[in-house]
């Protein structure tokens, strides 16, 4: 068995074992699946034990799940049977397992991952470090993260536009770079963890992705002087006290004070984007004293250099924030937990941090050759704390459409907009409430089913306009008819409605 054949053999064996998301659900059922999502493995373990008794043998996928998902040692013979072309010996050579007498124990987490994006459905196998569930103790500081909630959030936000060059900063197990490889010709993936880069390269090879180049180094250092059409980063944004005895996890905290690492990515982006290029990242930001965090975010953006659309999804008080991240590191309530809790609160108090925001950042280097001309750039900072719309393939395509809509309307004067025929998007519905017995509604609301699931109140004129946008009549003709119907002054109605039409167009209610 030559080293070059090890990964192809692993791939062949995993596929033959049906080691896939539906394959595993088929072994243990939906309820055990739901329990696993809550980090509870007992129902799945019991289902596998029952299955083994019933079949009087171990299914290959069951052996692989016990080993790589639950962290159990399994008989070497079982692994030989589950990976018939690689064998336990090959798995040892790949650093996936270690032998202990007649048993093998896992050295990594290896699991199937399935997704839907703008290019369709896909599934991969992802190798990362063993999680807290398998280890039975808190994570090490150099832990390489598997796919978590934040990873899925960012990959779902990734705009799927075809580009030449993409950059993933802080690639970890490589998941964002792998997603980017679906729309970029070439991807550079960086990390300060050698182990992360090794695992990410293994994942790319295992899943036959050959357009990712891996580079070691911090933030933009490995790409000095280079520019990219799309930069993606799920950076280590967790705010961590720089105090004695507080663990500094490579995977979630970049070793800087407060939110300085997110600031560094934002400030560095303009020098590494091609004209029209976009950076998308997740971040935390601090609220200092009475100052709105958005004021600080505005200061991070070089005036005029970058278009910015920043969405704050959540805000946490210091205590809540500390609890979230101490638990995430695997520390349970007790004296150590309290010690860390105090360290977090001391840090926030000392630096005057009253709250911490979490959200999505989308920044773009304006393209001088684009349609934008002298139109104002995009500078949108908003709070969207509620549930998002239904987006099975993620929000990336919606973000791209919203950006394009912004650019179009920014370059379109009112006269041209009045001549434009618009259509209500297919996911838009209108809700009306009536006082009992009344014919006229007391409340009208427009709802978006996909995208950000936005809702907005309607008045009679706007409801009439939206309702008439069927692609047949120009906006100006609709407003003219409404002015007659409502006995309103047409220029005044036009002035009132056009900004609303622009906003509805940018948010994807009107197309
Ligand atoms: C939150 S993890 C994200 C992993 C993966 N991209 C994902 O989305 O799941 C952050 C990654 O950034 C890396 N990292 C930490 N500090 C860094 C730095 N200064 N420059 C580049 N990467 C860094 C960590 O090693 C870790 O792999």
């Amino acid at each position: 068995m030559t080293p070059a054949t090890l990964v192809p053999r692993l791939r062949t064996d995993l596929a033959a074992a049906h080691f896939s998301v539906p394959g595993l659900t088929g072994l243990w059922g939906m309820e055990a699946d739901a329990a696993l999502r809550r980090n509870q493995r007992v129902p799945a373990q019991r289902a596998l034990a029952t299955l083994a008794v019933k079949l009087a043998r171990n299914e290959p996928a069951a052996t692989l799940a016990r080993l790589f998902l639950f962290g159990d040692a399994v008989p070497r013979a079982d692994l030989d049977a589950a990976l018939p072309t690689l064998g336990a010996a090959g798995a040892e050579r790949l650093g996936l397992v270690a032998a202990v007498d007649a048993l093998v124990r896992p050295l990594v987490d290896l699991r199937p991952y399935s997704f839907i994006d703008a290019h369709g459905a896909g599934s991969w196998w992802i190798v990362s470090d063993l999680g807290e569930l398998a280890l039975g103790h808190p994570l090490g500081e150099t832990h390489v993260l598997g796919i978590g909630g934040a990873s899925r959030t960012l990959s779902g936000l990734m705009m799927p536009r075809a580009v030449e060059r993409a950059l993933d900063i802080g690639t970890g197990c490589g998941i964002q770079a792998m997603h980017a490889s679906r729309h970029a010709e070439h991807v550079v993936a960086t990390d300060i963890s050698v182990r992360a880069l090794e695992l990410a390269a293994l994942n790319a090879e295992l899943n036959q992705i050959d357009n990712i180049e891996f580079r070691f180094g911090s933030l933009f250092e490995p790409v000095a002087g280079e520019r990219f059409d799309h930069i993606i980063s799920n950076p280590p944004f967790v705010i961590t006290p720089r105090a004695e005895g507080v663990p500094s996890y490579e995977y979630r905290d970049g070793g800087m004070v407060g939110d300085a690492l997110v600031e560094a990515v934002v400030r560095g982006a303009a020098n590494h984007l091609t004209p029209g290029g976009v950076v998308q990242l997740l971040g935390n930001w601090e609220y200092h004293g009475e100052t709105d965090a958005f004021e600080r975010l505005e200061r991070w953006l070089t005036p005029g250099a970058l278009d910015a659309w920043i969405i704050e999804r959540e805000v946490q008080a210091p205590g809540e924030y500390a609890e979230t991240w101490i638990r995430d590191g695997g520390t349970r309530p007790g004296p150590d937990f309290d010690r860390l809790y105090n360290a977090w609160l001391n840090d926030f108090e000392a630096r005057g941090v009253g709250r911490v925001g979490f959200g999505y950042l989308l920044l773009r280097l304006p393209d001088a050759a684009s349609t934008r001309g002298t139109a104002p750039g995009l500078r949108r900072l908003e709070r969207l704390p509620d549930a998002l719309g239904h987006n099975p393939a993620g929000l990336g395509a919606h973000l791209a459409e919203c950006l394009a809509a912004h650019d179009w309307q920014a370059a379109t004067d009112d006269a041209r907009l009045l001549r434009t025929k618009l259509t209500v998007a297919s996911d838009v519905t209108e809700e009306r409430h009536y006082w009992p017995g009344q014919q006229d509604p007391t409340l009208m609301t427009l709802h978006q089913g996909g995208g950000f699931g936005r809702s907005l109140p309607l008045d009679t004129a706007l409801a009439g306009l939206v309702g008439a946008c069927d692609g047949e009549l120009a906006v100006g003709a609709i407003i003219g008819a409404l002015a007659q119907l409502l006995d309103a002054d047409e220029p005044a109605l036009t002035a009132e409605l056009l900004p609303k039409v622009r906003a509805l167009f940018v948010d994807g209610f009107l197309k």
Side-chain angles (χ1 to χ4, degrees):
M1 219 185 292
T2 64
T5 64
L6 293 175
V7 175
R9 284 168 191 261
L10 175 62
R11 186 189 312 126
T12 303
D13 290 343
L14 294 176
H18 301 293
F19 192 54
S20 61
V21 172
L24 292 181
T25 306
L27 288 183
W28 53 54
M30 305 284 274
E31 272 183 40
D33 240 8
L36 280 172
R37 282 196 290 277
R38 300 190 301 271
N39 243 359
Q40 301 301 330
R41 62 185 164 179
V42 172
Q45 285 174 317
R46 289 168 64 91
L48 293 188
T50 308
L51 190 70
V53 171
K54 198 165 135 195
L55 299 177
R57 63 180 158 80
N58 282 317
E59 281 291 292
T63 301
L64 297 171
R66 285 182 52 209
L67 185 68
F68 292 120
L69 267 70
F70 307 146
D72 296 340
V74 300
R76 189 179 182 92
D78 284 2
L79 187 59
D80 278 330
L83 300 175
T85 72
L86 182 69
E92 266 183 282
R93 284 178 65 187
L94 275 175
L96 306 180
V97 297
V100 198
D101 302 324
L103 297 176
V104 285
R105 67 178 177 84
L107 296 176
V108 294
D109 183 294
L110 165 55
R111 64 183 62 214
Y113 161 74
S114 56
F115 58 88
I116 306 175
D117 64 14
H119 306 279
S123 68
W124 291 322
W125 296 287
I126 300 294
V127 180
S128 64
D129 272 335
L130 286 169
E132 193 194 330
L133 202 68
L135 289 171
H137 59 74
L139 303 175
E141 288 181 302
T142 56
H143 177 82
V144 177
L145 203 64
I147 296 169
S151 324
R152 285 182 185 270
T153 299
L154 183 63
S155 61
L157 290 169
M158 209 181 281
M159 296 202 306
R161 60 194 195 118
V163 294
E164 259 176 53
R165 300 190 81 222
L167 168 67
D168 173 21
I169 301 174
T171 197
C173 66
I175 187 63
Q176 308 302 342
M178 290 167 69
H179 276 288
S181 76
R182 288 165 69 83
H183 65 264
E185 279 173 33
H186 184 76
V187 184
V188 175
T190 68
D191 209 291
I192 51 153
S193 157
V194 173
R195 178 161 172 77
L197 291 170
E198 283 169 2
L199 292 184
L202 172 62
N203 286 327
E205 187 184 350
L206 183 57
N207 295 290
Q208 295 180 288
I209 297 169
D210 58 10
N211 59 345
I212 307 177
E213 178 193 340
F214 297 95
R215 297 189 198 170
F216 175 82
S218 178
L219 299 179
F220 294 103
E221 276 168 22
V223 293
E226 293 179 53
R227 291 190 179 263
F228 297 85
D229 309 304
H230 198 176
I231 302 177
I232 301 109
S233 186
N234 173 11
F237 56 73
V238 177
I239 297 163
T240 309
R242 301 288 149 223
E244 184 88 19
V246 177
S248 168
Y249 297 104
E250 252 171 17
Y251 74 87
R252 63 175 218 197
D253 126 52
M256 296 191 187
V257 173
D259 51 17
L261 189 124
V262 179
E263 178 180 355
V265 178
V266 171
R267 287 193 187 273
N271 289 332
H272 294 280
L273 288 171
T274 53
V278 166
V279 53
Q280 293 186 270
L281 67 145
L282 303 181
N284 269 159
W285 39 82
E286 297 178 337
Y287 285 70
H288 289 180
E290 297 301 307
T291 315
D292 190 321
F294 283 180
E295 284 180 34
R296 299 185 59 242
L297 288 172
E298 291 263 18
R299 284 201 294 273
W300 296 355
L301 301 161
T302 322
L306 291 177
D307 284 346
W309 184 6
I310 299 177
I311 295 169
E312 183 177 81
R313 292 282 295 146
E314 201 186 335
V315 180
Q316 284 188 318
E320 215 181 339
Y321 190 83
E323 289 162 34
T324 303
W325 294 108
I326 299 168
R327 264 200 311 267
D328 172 85
T331 307
R332 305 279 154 87
D336 214 31
F337 192 99
D338 293 352
R339 180 181 62 78
L340 292 173
Y341 207 142
N342 272 309
W344 249 276
L345 295 189
N346 287 342
D347 174 52
F348 284 141
E349 249 171 54
R351 295 185 304 104
V353 178
R355 284 178 297 155
V356 179
F358 162 80
Y360 320 148
L361 299 98
L362 190 163
L363 316 172
R364 181 175 63 169
L365 188 65
D367 182 355
S370 78
T371 49
R372 199 168 112 186
T374 53
L378 174 65
R379 186 56 57 98
R380 181 172 190 180
L381 285 79
E382 59 179 335
R383 298 190 161 89
L384 293 175
D386 298 325
L388 301 175
H390 181 60
N391 301 287
L395 271 161
H398 179 70
L399 292 178
E401 280 167 19
C402 290
L403 277 190
H406 165 270
D407 293 347
W408 184 85
Q409 68 79 32
T412 299
D413 62 19
D414 284 351
R416 185 165 164 218
L417 184 57
L418 286 168
R419 293 195 302 274
T420 304
K421 294 171 181 172
L422 297 176
T423 311
V424 187
S426 56
D427 63 338
V428 170
T429 53
E430 188 190 277
E431 184 185 16
R432 291 180 176 224
H433 292 261
Y434 297 82
W435 287 114
Q438 298 294 305
Q439 283 205 328
D440 293 329
T442 50
L443 191 69
M444 293 182 286
T445 312
L446 206 59
H447 295 291
Q448 182 177 46
F452 286 101
R454 295 176 192 268
S455 292
L456 62 105
L458 291 172
D459 56 26
T460 309
L462 191 58
L465 188 147
V466 171
C469 279
D470 58 0
E472 298 282 320
L473 283 173
V475 172
I478 297 174
I479 295 178
L482 281 170
Q484 279 198 357
L485 209 68
L486 302 172
D487 201 14
D489 174 55
E490 188 173 331
L493 192 62
T494 303
E496 179 200 319
L497 287 177
L498 279 193
K500 295 179 181 175
V501 169
R502 289 181 185 275
L504 288 171
F505 186 74
V506 168
D507 286 341
F509 284 87
L510 295 176
K511 306 255 179 195

